[in-house]
Amino acid sequence: MAVFVEVDHVDRVFNLPDGGEYIALKNIDLHIHKGEFVSLVGHSGCGKSTLLNILSGLDQPSAGGIILEGRQVTEPGPDRMVVFQNYSLLPWLTVRQNIQLAVDQVMGHHPKAVRKRMVDHHIEMVGLQKAADKRPGQISGGMKQRVAIARALAIRPKLLLLDEPFGALDALTRGGLQEQLMQICQENEVTCVMVTHDVDEALLLSDRIVLMTNGPEAHVGQIVDVPFPRPRERMEVVKHPNYYSLRNEIVYFLNQQKRAKLQRAKPAVAVAANGLEKVNLELGFIPLVDCAPLIVAKEKGLFEANGLSQVTLNREPSWNAIADGVTSGRLDASMMVAGMPLGITLGYGNQRPVPMVSALTLSRNGNAITFSKRLFDQGVRSPADFKAALDRRPDQVHTLATVHPTSMHNLLLRYWLAAGGIDPDRDVSVTVIPPAQMASNLKSGTIDGYCVGEPWNARAVAEGHGVVLATDNDIWAGHIEKVLGVTEAWANQYPKTHVALVKALLEACEYCDDRRNREEIAEMLARPEYVGADETLIRQGFLDPYDRGDGSEPQQVLNYIQFFTGKANFPDVTEAVWMMTQMARWGITPFPRNWLEVAERVKRSDIFGQAARELGLLDIGRDRHSIQLFDGVPFDPDHPLDYLNQFAIKRDLRIEEMPMDVVRR
Amino acid sequence: MTAPLDIRPTRSRFNVARLSQQALNWLKGLIPPVVAIVIFLSIWQVLTMGPNATLPTPIRTIQDTWELIINPFFDYGGTDKGLFWQVWSSLQRVAIGFSLAAVAGVALGILVGTSPLMYSALDPIFQILRTVPPLAWLPISLAAIQQAGPASIFVIFITAIWPIIINTTEGVRQIPQDYNNVAKVLRLSKPTYFFKILFPATVPYIFTGLRIGIGLSWLAIVAAEMLIGGVGIGFFIWDAWNSSRISDIIIAIVYVGVVGLLLDRLIVFIGTLVLPEEQKK
């Protein structure tokens, strides 16, 4: 579909009376297709309305521009009609005259009779025949809004801009008008951009929802695609399997923005106490069973016991949010997918490299590869079967999902596919989706399979949409999974706090692996503020026999998730090098020529060792070892390039020296 | 409002109970001012009953001016006319002066309001001139025009024009941004913008200006006539003073007050006819 409206790197800077500047919008880049309905959602003062004014031409961007059908927008015009927040009807004109004024002005070249029909048609369309000769002062808010919409549509704009059109209306009127607007837009194929505060309204009406971050320097934080089929019915939309996960994602985003605003309002001053540099920590987590160490440390008072008296856990919407949060300083530390500290240090996805430190592994195992029931019914049981299925239907694109480019899910899924002769970039498409949305996307058929941590495999199995084809134990038993990650700058600034944090979490990990505690932990995790999933799903594998959904008897899996046993927590350099080979293999990061230096720099066994000694936990370090996955290819940490080169399926390798500054502390 | 009009219960025009109820309410509303007037008159009566009083008592005033009160329409030639004629000729002057001021003031106000350059150039001048008392204009207008009648009309004009200009200007500048945005998005032509948006949006402010203007004009005419002479309520008062007819002065003052009130109400009434519901504030 051709781009209809292009918002091209728009900035808007306001000059303040005191001579300063206020940067309201920064680098907004957005493409809107013809007939698309896009909503702008964000907190008050995030510049949504400013962006809408720039789209209409009432305001001019300070940099960048708006291009409508190939032509730059420089002034307001009737091809971009606005439905203003407060209706903006002229009070001295009747309903009919208000619409007529617009029609006469814009369609002056048509004969009078045609214009009159046009006016009458639109009055009828919004059902205002009886009020046509009343003035705005004599009709209700809902009716005024209908007049404003009729006036806007009557002049056949190319782009309809709506500024919180239903904000001032009562719920009943709003519902009715939303449906009317949806129907009218559908019938007339109008391209719409709407500013709103109402998440449900945005989900009902939009094809895409653009989430804006808070000002100053507001920008597009996230774009949510709304996949509900059209024509939409309110009740059907609400029942759609993706509805609540999408809604949650948006609400999370907004809550997170609110928190960011609060944090900005009271600058995060490090509160020093208990002999530590900083005791007020913001930690991030993702709703997964393996976030248990953080939850346990919080609930069982292990943070306090180690002097960290003001720890806040932040439930984050996606791994990307975690990466941004830690590098921007919004979060002090966070649970991370295993490859994330390395990935950020190496500048994954062409981002600016930020040196990271990981002194603790939080968990091992706990993932599974789930395929849709449909593929399973076609006989897909292994990568080889899947390859056969792909070869049978070369016209179909199969999409698999993981949670982050640097996560073990991505690396293991790709390894598993490639070992079966499937190129994960050419034969299938691998996409990134937040964990909590996997099952619903599988159900809706947007993806055909995924690799994710629990309880999101269990959910697809329980709902009967998916079958677990492989667990970690089938691919690489006991692999590194989640780690604690902080920036190197943070680790250097708060060394004692860092050790205290590692100690608290290490104790929590030990607690988690005592099976006597797991009933209690499962109950904790199920709470809505943590994982918020059904407890029976969380117990799958964690406590109860694991049901793969393939018809076999559920089996008790040993070490389904390992938090402590088997020297689980040591920051293992060998694993770090293996992950760097795999990230380089798929073009996620370059492979550093100084790979050992990078691995040693990120994996801080010295901090881990100090914490373990202070806790009196001895002999939980790991020695150098070699790694072997299910296909039996050995990995020798001394010769990673040989290992990389022997893979048949890989991307072009980039091997680069990673400049690490000499001064360490 | 969404209810169909035809299902509303029909009201009888002559509902006796309702009418009498209304009349009763109206009478009740009248009680406080009547009581206040009675108290005022009593105090006046008490203060002026002594033998050394310089002003007549209210009863005395009525007795003295009974002729004037019962017959406002006599005309014995010259300036010896009934109070109605006195007021009438004053009103004529006000009508001419004020009409000119209204037309010129609204036009100037719109000009100044729409042009920021004009605004910055002229607004300081208006602000200075509007504080000049009406009578200060009289000598210069007499010097320029050399005739008493037109000179007093000019005083009315120059007194009334400032509030009209200033309020109209303000009205133009205060046109809600929403309306201007509508005009911009629709790309309304200049004349359409003027007649469909600018002028209607400014009307409430214009009426505020007119109301202040008519009050000032009535103040000015009484003072001007005192100095200029001829037929008019102002000169009637001056004449009465010169002839020591204090009671006449008092009755003329009552006339001036009542007429001023009526003029003010007249402008308000015209305003209610012109303005739609939403703009009445």
Side-chain angles (χ1 to χ4, degrees), chain A residues 255-276:
Chain A
N255 283 341
Q256 186 194 317
Q257 289 299 315
K258 202 186 279 170
R259 282 202 302 272
K261 199 180 202 169
L262 286 178
Q263 265 180 5
R264 218 177 287 168
K266 57 168 172 62
V269 182
V271 178
N274 311 327
L276 303 175

PDB file of all heavy atoms in Angstrom, chain A residues 255-276:
ATOM      1  N   ASN A 255       1.419   3.608  31.860  1.00  0.00           N
ATOM      2  CA  ASN A 255       1.835   3.614  33.259  1.00  0.00           C
ATOM      3  C   ASN A 255       3.315   3.872  33.383  1.00  0.00           C
ATOM      4  O   ASN A 255       3.779   4.603  34.261  1.00  0.00           O
ATOM      5  CB  ASN A 255       1.491   2.277  33.914  1.00  0.00           C
ATOM      6  CG  ASN A 255       0.021   2.206  34.239  1.00  0.00           C
ATOM      7  OD1 ASN A 255      -0.647   3.227  34.313  1.00  0.00           O
ATOM      8  ND2 ASN A 255      -0.489   1.006  34.403  1.00  0.00           N
ATOM      9  N   GLN A 256       4.050   3.244  32.479  1.00  0.00           N
ATOM     10  CA  GLN A 256       5.492   3.405  32.515  1.00  0.00           C
ATOM     11  C   GLN A 256       5.866   4.859  32.245  1.00  0.00           C
ATOM     12  O   GLN A 256       6.764   5.417  32.871  1.00  0.00           O
ATOM     13  CB  GLN A 256       6.056   2.490  31.442  1.00  0.00           C
ATOM     14  CG  GLN A 256       7.535   2.383  31.385  1.00  0.00           C
ATOM     15  CD  GLN A 256       7.919   1.736  30.070  1.00  0.00           C
ATOM     16  OE1 GLN A 256       7.295   0.776  29.641  1.00  0.00           O
ATOM     17  NE2 GLN A 256       8.906   2.272  29.421  1.00  0.00           N
ATOM     18  N   GLN A 257       5.126   5.483  31.309  1.00  0.00           N
ATOM     19  CA  GLN A 257       5.373   6.898  31.030  1.00  0.00           C
ATOM     20  C   GLN A 257       5.065   7.740  32.255  1.00  0.00           C
ATOM     21  O   GLN A 257       5.743   8.711  32.543  1.00  0.00           O
ATOM     22  CB  GLN A 257       4.514   7.359  29.845  1.00  0.00           C
ATOM     23  CG  GLN A 257       4.956   6.801  28.523  1.00  0.00           C
ATOM     24  CD  GLN A 257       6.368   7.224  28.189  1.00  0.00           C
ATOM     25  OE1 GLN A 257       6.723   8.380  28.344  1.00  0.00           O
ATOM     26  NE2 GLN A 257       7.182   6.288  27.744  1.00  0.00           N
ATOM     27  N   LYS A 258       3.991   7.340  32.961  1.00  0.00           N
ATOM     28  CA  LYS A 258       3.606   8.097  34.141  1.00  0.00           C
ATOM     29  C   LYS A 258       4.718   8.003  35.189  1.00  0.00           C
ATOM     30  O   LYS A 258       5.087   8.985  35.805  1.00  0.00           O
ATOM     31  CB  LYS A 258       2.301   7.528  34.700  1.00  0.00           C
ATOM     32  CG  LYS A 258       1.549   8.512  35.568  1.00  0.00           C
ATOM     33  CD  LYS A 258       0.352   7.850  36.215  1.00  0.00           C
ATOM     34  CE  LYS A 258      -0.836   7.747  35.306  1.00  0.00           C
ATOM     35  NZ  LYS A 258      -1.899   6.901  35.881  1.00  0.00           N
ATOM     36  N   ARG A 259       5.237   6.765  35.350  1.00  0.00           N
ATOM     37  CA  ARG A 259       6.322   6.592  36.318  1.00  0.00           C
ATOM     38  C   ARG A 259       7.535   7.417  35.914  1.00  0.00           C
ATOM     39  O   ARG A 259       8.165   8.067  36.740  1.00  0.00           O
ATOM     40  CB  ARG A 259       6.717   5.121  36.404  1.00  0.00           C
ATOM     41  CG  ARG A 259       5.781   4.277  37.222  1.00  0.00           C
ATOM     42  CD  ARG A 259       6.496   3.018  37.693  1.00  0.00           C
ATOM     43  NE  ARG A 259       7.023   2.230  36.612  1.00  0.00           N
ATOM     44  CZ  ARG A 259       6.332   1.279  35.974  1.00  0.00           C
ATOM     45  NH1 ARG A 259       5.092   1.029  36.325  1.00  0.00           N
ATOM     46  NH2 ARG A 259       6.868   0.599  34.991  1.00  0.00           N
ATOM     47  N   ALA A 260       7.820   7.381  34.610  1.00  0.00           N
ATOM     48  CA  ALA A 260       8.981   8.134  34.135  1.00  0.00           C
ATOM     49  C   ALA A 260       8.810   9.608  34.451  1.00  0.00           C
ATOM     50  O   ALA A 260       9.749  10.294  34.820  1.00  0.00           O
ATOM     51  CB  ALA A 260       9.150   7.921  32.635  1.00  0.00           C
ATOM     52  N   LYS A 261       7.545  10.081  34.320  1.00  0.00           N
ATOM     53  CA  LYS A 261       7.263  11.482  34.578  1.00  0.00           C
ATOM     54  C   LYS A 261       7.505  11.794  36.055  1.00  0.00           C
ATOM     55  O   LYS A 261       8.112  12.795  36.400  1.00  0.00           O
ATOM     56  CB  LYS A 261       5.797  11.739  34.220  1.00  0.00           C
ATOM     57  CG  LYS A 261       5.432  13.177  33.983  1.00  0.00           C
ATOM     58  CD  LYS A 261       3.959  13.217  33.652  1.00  0.00           C
ATOM     59  CE  LYS A 261       3.560  14.452  32.895  1.00  0.00           C
ATOM     60  NZ  LYS A 261       2.195  14.307  32.392  1.00  0.00           N
ATOM     61  N   LEU A 262       7.004  10.889  36.912  1.00  0.00           N
ATOM     62  CA  LEU A 262       7.192  11.094  38.351  1.00  0.00           C
ATOM     63  C   LEU A 262       8.666  11.111  38.693  1.00  0.00           C
ATOM     64  O   LEU A 262       9.136  11.930  39.481  1.00  0.00           O
ATOM     65  CB  LEU A 262       6.503   9.978  39.135  1.00  0.00           C
ATOM     66  CG  LEU A 262       4.991  10.050  39.186  1.00  0.00           C
ATOM     67  CD1 LEU A 262       4.429   8.858  39.947  1.00  0.00           C
ATOM     68  CD2 LEU A 262       4.546  11.351  39.845  1.00  0.00           C
ATOM     69  N   GLN A 263       9.397  10.184  38.059  1.00  0.00           N
ATOM     70  CA  GLN A 263      10.825  10.123  38.348  1.00  0.00           C
ATOM     71  C   GLN A 263      11.531  11.390  37.914  1.00  0.00           C
ATOM     72  O   GLN A 263      12.435  11.871  38.573  1.00  0.00           O
ATOM     73  CB  GLN A 263      11.447   8.934  37.622  1.00  0.00           C
ATOM     74  CG  GLN A 263      11.517   7.714  38.507  1.00  0.00           C
ATOM     75  CD  GLN A 263      12.130   6.541  37.805  1.00  0.00           C
ATOM     76  OE1 GLN A 263      12.596   6.660  36.676  1.00  0.00           O
ATOM     77  NE2 GLN A 263      12.115   5.419  38.466  1.00  0.00           N
ATOM     78  N   ARG A 264      11.046  11.904  36.750  1.00  0.00           N
ATOM     79  CA  ARG A 264      11.669  13.120  36.258  1.00  0.00           C
ATOM     80  C   ARG A 264      11.350  14.273  37.195  1.00  0.00           C
ATOM     81  O   ARG A 264      12.158  15.144  37.430  1.00  0.00           O
ATOM     82  CB  ARG A 264      11.162  13.424  34.851  1.00  0.00           C
ATOM     83  CG  ARG A 264      12.236  13.966  33.955  1.00  0.00           C
ATOM     84  CD  ARG A 264      11.709  14.189  32.565  1.00  0.00           C
ATOM     85  NE  ARG A 264      11.507  12.961  31.845  1.00  0.00           N
ATOM     86  CZ  ARG A 264      10.842  12.896  30.692  1.00  0.00           C
ATOM     87  NH1 ARG A 264      10.320  13.974  30.170  1.00  0.00           N
ATOM     88  NH2 ARG A 264      10.709  11.763  30.067  1.00  0.00           N
ATOM     89  N   ALA A 265      10.094  14.231  37.740  1.00  0.00           N
ATOM     90  CA  ALA A 265       9.675  15.316  38.633  1.00  0.00           C
ATOM     91  C   ALA A 265      10.545  15.332  39.890  1.00  0.00           C
ATOM     92  O   ALA A 265      10.955  16.384  40.332  1.00  0.00           O
ATOM     93  CB  ALA A 265       8.216  15.144  38.996  1.00  0.00           C
ATOM     94  N   LYS A 266      10.777  14.168  40.467  1.00  0.00           N
ATOM     95  CA  LYS A 266      11.700  14.148  41.613  1.00  0.00           C
ATOM     96  C   LYS A 266      12.953  13.395  41.166  1.00  0.00           C
ATOM     97  O   LYS A 266      12.983  12.172  41.121  1.00  0.00           O
ATOM     98  CB  LYS A 266      11.064  13.494  42.837  1.00  0.00           C
ATOM     99  CG  LYS A 266      10.548  12.075  42.640  1.00  0.00           C
ATOM    100  CD  LYS A 266      10.231  11.481  44.005  1.00  0.00           C
ATOM    101  CE  LYS A 266       9.551  10.161  43.996  1.00  0.00           C
ATOM    102  NZ  LYS A 266      10.046   9.009  43.491  1.00  0.00           N
ATOM    103  N   PRO A 267      13.962  14.123  40.750  1.00  0.00           N
ATOM    104  CA  PRO A 267      15.139  13.495  40.178  1.00  0.00           C
ATOM    105  C   PRO A 267      15.665  12.401  41.098  1.00  0.00           C
ATOM    106  O   PRO A 267      15.753  12.572  42.313  1.00  0.00           O
ATOM    107  CB  PRO A 267      16.140  14.643  40.042  1.00  0.00           C
ATOM    108  CG  PRO A 267      15.580  15.769  40.834  1.00  0.00           C
ATOM    109  CD  PRO A 267      14.108  15.566  40.898  1.00  0.00           C
ATOM    110  N   ALA A 268      15.994  11.245  40.491  1.00  0.00           N
ATOM    111  CA  ALA A 268      16.373  10.083  41.272  1.00  0.00           C
ATOM    112  C   ALA A 268      17.661  10.357  42.026  1.00  0.00           C
ATOM    113  O   ALA A 268      18.756  10.155  41.529  1.00  0.00           O
ATOM    114  CB  ALA A 268      16.535   8.879  40.357  1.00  0.00           C
ATOM    115  N   VAL A 269      17.505  10.840  43.207  1.00  0.00           N
ATOM    116  CA  VAL A 269      18.672  11.080  44.050  1.00  0.00           C
ATOM    117  C   VAL A 269      19.018   9.761  44.721  1.00  0.00           C
ATOM    118  O   VAL A 269      18.146   9.054  45.204  1.00  0.00           O
ATOM    119  CB  VAL A 269      18.360  12.147  45.117  1.00  0.00           C
ATOM    120  CG1 VAL A 269      19.593  12.420  45.960  1.00  0.00           C
ATOM    121  CG2 VAL A 269      17.866  13.417  44.453  1.00  0.00           C
ATOM    122  N   ALA A 270      20.261   9.419  44.682  1.00  0.00           N
ATOM    123  CA  ALA A 270      20.676   8.186  45.334  1.00  0.00           C
ATOM    124  C   ALA A 270      20.556   8.369  46.839  1.00  0.00           C
ATOM    125  O   ALA A 270      21.089   9.315  47.405  1.00  0.00           O
ATOM    126  CB  ALA A 270      22.111   7.861  44.952  1.00  0.00           C
ATOM    127  N   VAL A 271      19.768   7.493  47.464  1.00  0.00           N
ATOM    128  CA  VAL A 271      19.634   7.544  48.912  1.00  0.00           C
ATOM    129  C   VAL A 271      20.664   6.591  49.500  1.00  0.00           C
ATOM    130  O   VAL A 271      20.590   5.389  49.296  1.00  0.00           O
ATOM    131  CB  VAL A 271      18.220   7.134  49.351  1.00  0.00           C
ATOM    132  CG1 VAL A 271      18.119   7.143  50.867  1.00  0.00           C
ATOM    133  CG2 VAL A 271      17.185   8.048  48.720  1.00  0.00           C
ATOM    134  N   ALA A 272      21.655   7.137  50.180  1.00  0.00           N
ATOM    135  CA  ALA A 272      22.693   6.286  50.764  1.00  0.00           C
ATOM    136  C   ALA A 272      22.290   5.925  52.179  1.00  0.00           C
ATOM    137  O   ALA A 272      21.800   6.765  52.931  1.00  0.00           O
ATOM    138  CB  ALA A 272      24.030   7.009  50.758  1.00  0.00           C
ATOM    139  N   ALA A 273      22.449   4.657  52.517  1.00  0.00           N
ATOM    140  CA  ALA A 273      22.125   4.206  53.877  1.00  0.00           C
ATOM    141  C   ALA A 273      22.732   2.839  54.075  1.00  0.00           C
ATOM    142  O   ALA A 273      23.148   2.189  53.111  1.00  0.00           O
ATOM    143  CB  ALA A 273      20.610   4.148  54.078  1.00  0.00           C
ATOM    144  N   ASN A 274      22.743   2.383  55.307  1.00  0.00           N
ATOM    145  CA  ASN A 274      23.192   1.035  55.650  1.00  0.00           C
ATOM    146  C   ASN A 274      24.591   0.728  55.100  1.00  0.00           C
ATOM    147  O   ASN A 274      24.876  -0.397  54.727  1.00  0.00           O
ATOM    148  CB  ASN A 274      22.226  -0.021  55.127  1.00  0.00           C
ATOM    149  CG  ASN A 274      20.783   0.307  55.478  1.00  0.00           C
ATOM    150  OD1 ASN A 274      20.523   0.884  56.533  1.00  0.00           O
ATOM    151  ND2 ASN A 274      19.865  -0.030  54.610  1.00  0.00           N
ATOM    152  N   GLY A 275      25.422   1.736  54.971  1.00  0.00           N
ATOM    153  CA  GLY A 275      26.758   1.507  54.435  1.00  0.00           C
ATOM    154  C   GLY A 275      26.791   1.264  52.943  1.00  0.00           C
ATOM    155  O   GLY A 275      27.809   0.856  52.394  1.00  0.00           O
ATOM    156  N   LEU A 276      25.651   1.503  52.235  1.00  0.00           N
ATOM    157  CA  LEU A 276      25.606   1.326  50.782  1.00  0.00           C
ATOM    158  C   LEU A 276      25.459   2.689  50.115  1.00  0.00           C
ATOM    159  O   LEU A 276      24.932   3.628  50.716  1.00  0.00           O
ATOM    160  CB  LEU A 276      24.425   0.437  50.396  1.00  0.00           C
ATOM    161  CG  LEU A 276      24.401  -0.952  51.044  1.00  0.00           C
ATOM    162  CD1 LEU A 276      23.130  -1.681  50.672  1.00  0.00           C
ATOM    163  CD2 LEU A 276      25.631  -1.750  50.609  1.00  0.00           C
TER     164      LEU A 276
END
